[in-house]
Amino acid sequence: MELMYKSTRSEAYKVTASEAILKGLADDGGLFMPVQIPKLDVTLEALKDMSYQETAYVVMKQFLTDFTEEELKSCIEKAYDDKFDTETIAPLAKVEDTYYLELFHGATIAFKDMALSILPHLLTTSAKKNQVKNEIVILTATSGDTGKAALAGFADVEGTKIIVFYPKNGVSKVQELQMVTQKGDNTSVVAIHGNFDCAQSGVKAIFENKELAKEMAEKGYQFSSANSINIGRLVPQIVYYVYAYAKLLQNGEIEAGEEMNVVVPTGNFGNILAAYFAKQMGMPIGKLICASNENKVLFDFFETGVYDKNREFILTISPSMDILISSNLERLIYLIAGCDASKNRELMEALKEKGAYALTDEMKENLSDFAAGYATEKEVKEKIADTYAKTGYVMDTHTAVAASVYEKYAKESKDARKTVIASTASPYKFARSVMTSIDKKYDEVEEFDLIDTLEVLSGVDAPKAIEEIRNAKILHTLECDADKMEETVKKILIN
Ligand SMILES: *Cc1c(COP(=O)(O)O)cnc(C)c1O
């Protein structure tokens, strides 16, 4: 039976998985949700010995029911190959009594690779299935990680072009170098004279411009999105939680059916929502622990039942979590409202108008699978330094938010279940913050010298992604004012 998808904001219409992937966002501004979350149809015993790719297939086939076995397996094979620096794709590292699920072994050394290496294939397959003849143009605004992962994913994928906009002075040195050295004839990178919000608003305006869409269609192009609201990003992220449990089982760390907790450093709420889906599919997952940095809008939400983005935006050393509107939270709101689209729409309208909304008591009760915490900048730095001193393991700043939150949670709750921490970036991607957390003296050291030192400290070789940018040629030098983005897109596509 076909699993259909509907919007979180209306009952109006249903689409297939491939249609939902192509559209990204529903026409009413809602996010696509499957009409029910499917159960896994394999036993834990069977999962135990599966490769990452095999696990991906048994999980994803439950959601993408209009893909044939051949289509889905082909997407999986093209995605999870030697772009990853380990055959296990998402290894589990045991450090003291906790397990770090390392999601940063892909091409751009952050967890966005887990979904963005398969999304281009899901998208082009969906285009074929729906007889889309136009070339698909992916537009992305990025504050750093998503842009590079999307570029790497879409580079040289037939039938697609990708254009990434980033704030000229708003990304780290490594992040900028990673983007402007991107190869692939179908890739473009543009630096915006403005901040991330300018880039984001500019991209949204292009999406909403019906005239432009018509003009582009005449030239054989249609726009699409690689943002984390696309169901084609959420579904692949469920896989590694299923896989992590199976690895614990295989290694004899857990008994079949025994629950594991999951801790996720959270920004847009996509990654932790995937863990929640894994639990709904039937995996023995206990608590889902949502970890925030000093932008603790989610922590406050879980504490009080009130979501309120009216607060100061804080720049932290875990920039990929610096976010005040967690767009994927809408899917959870919809679920805890009993799949009531009108209730969800009411709250989302309040968020848009007043920047805040409050849950009903009944909705609050449906949040018992979750726990939440936050870590201050000082705690994050201490966690990196302490773990390194005690064990030699070096973690990045985002992972350290989760590790710090977990330490406090375990102490307060006495919850002794086995716990997996989602490790979302390589420490090499945030070398400066990581190294100065270990010792302030590194603040004086030049970027690539820091990387050499990190190799010595951690005993882990610098990943290929870092070596590549050391001497890579700058291939993208386009810049534009924030109000010239549409013109720039036209210039790139029509030249
Ligand atoms: C995107 C990102 C996050 C946040 O993930 P969400 O799915 O947005 O909650 C955490 N850490 C890193 C390194 C990221 O790139």
Side-chain angles (χ1 to χ4, degrees), residues 110-112 145 265-271 320-321 396 398 424-425 430:
F111 100 96
K112 303 292 192 293
D145 285 341
T266 297
N268 228 346
F269 210 75
N271 201 1
S320 305
M321 298 162 64
D396 101 288
H398 303 75
T424 51
F430 300 94

Side-chain angles (χ1 to χ4, degrees), residues 205-480:
I206 295 174
F207 276 126
E208 284 162 14
N209 186 336
K210 299 251 155 55
E211 289 281 293
L212 181 68
K214 218 171 122 200
E215 195 184 331
M216 288 297 117
E218 281 161 16
K219 309 275 181 205
Y221 296 118
Q222 76 185 57
F223 296 125
S224 189
S225 150
N227 276 336
S228 73
I229 39 133
N230 195 315
I231 197 84
R233 273 188 64 179
L234 183 61
V235 171
Q237 291 179 177
I238 303 167
V239 174
Y240 44 77
Y241 292 109
V242 175
Y243 183 69
Y245 189 91
K247 288 304 112 179
L248 288 180
L249 204 53
Q250 190 183 41
N251 300 338
E253 302 278 348
I254 211 166
E255 310 253 340
E258 184 185 337
E259 284 182 343
M260 78 170 183
N261 294 329
V262 170
V263 193
V264 186
T266 297
N268 228 346
F269 210 75
N271 201 1
I272 193 166
L273 187 71
Y276 184 66
F277 271 49
K279 178 167 180 157
Q280 302 298 313
M281 289 188 88
M283 292 305 288
I285 293 175
K287 279 281 183 223
L288 300 144
I289 302 160
C290 176
S292 299
N293 64 23
E294 289 182 0
N295 293 294
K296 61 184 184 55
V297 62
L298 285 167
F299 168 75
D300 293 339
F301 166 76
F302 282 109
E303 284 290 292
T304 64
V306 175
Y307 193 94
D308 187 354
K309 76 164 179 81
N310 301 308
R311 58 181 75 209
E312 191 194 348
F313 181 92
I314 302 165
L315 286 172
T316 72
I317 56 170
S318 45
S320 305
M321 298 162 64
D322 290 345
I323 201 161
L324 292 180
I325 302 184
S326 298
S327 44
N328 267 297
L329 186 66
E330 178 169 349
R331 289 191 163 108
L332 181 68
I333 298 297
Y334 170 79
L335 287 172
I336 62 171
C339 300
D340 180 346
S342 62
K343 181 67 193 170
N344 174 63
R345 195 176 56 237
E346 178 194 317
L347 298 186
M348 292 307 125
E349 273 162 13
L351 179 63
K352 197 166 176 193
E353 277 154 32
K354 297 185 234 121
Y357 61 81
L359 300 183
T360 62
D361 289 340
E362 206 180 339
M363 288 172 81
K364 255 193 269 182
E365 278 167 26
N366 292 337
L367 287 179
S368 60
D369 288 331
F370 290 87
Y374 74 98
T376 63
E377 293 289 90
K378 183 163 170 278
E379 288 171 324
V380 170
K381 290 177 190 167
E382 280 170 6
K383 189 71 202 172
I384 293 171
D386 287 355
T387 306
Y388 172 67
K390 276 196 209 132
T391 69
Y393 188 72
V394 181
M395 70 180 90
D396 101 288
T397 47
H398 303 75
T399 308
V401 170
S404 169
V405 164
Y406 174 60
E407 189 182 330
K408 289 183 277 183
Y409 167 83
K411 221 178 260 160
E412 280 160 27
S413 66
K414 311 261 182 335
D415 180 347
R417 284 174 284 192
K418 301 275 162 47
T419 298
V420 167
I421 293 178
S423 178
T424 51
S426 159
Y428 282 97
K429 194 151 191 173
F430 300 94
R432 180 162 304 278
S433 300
V434 168
M435 293 296 283
T436 51
S437 298
I438 291 172
D439 193 326
K440 281 200 182 71
K441 73 179 181 199
Y442 293 117
D443 210 17
E444 315 283 303
V445 182
E446 195 269 329
E447 195 81 26
F448 281 104
D449 292 337
L450 266 184
I451 280 163
D452 294 336
T453 315
L454 180 49
E455 279 195 310
V456 176
L457 274 191
S458 66
V460 177
D461 289 345
K464 211 165 68 188
I466 293 291
E467 292 311 322
E468 274 168 9
I469 56 169
R470 237 183 238 266
N471 302 306
K473 263 219 216 87
I474 308 279
L475 301 172
H476 303 273
T477 53
L478 267 183
E479 292 187 18
C480 80

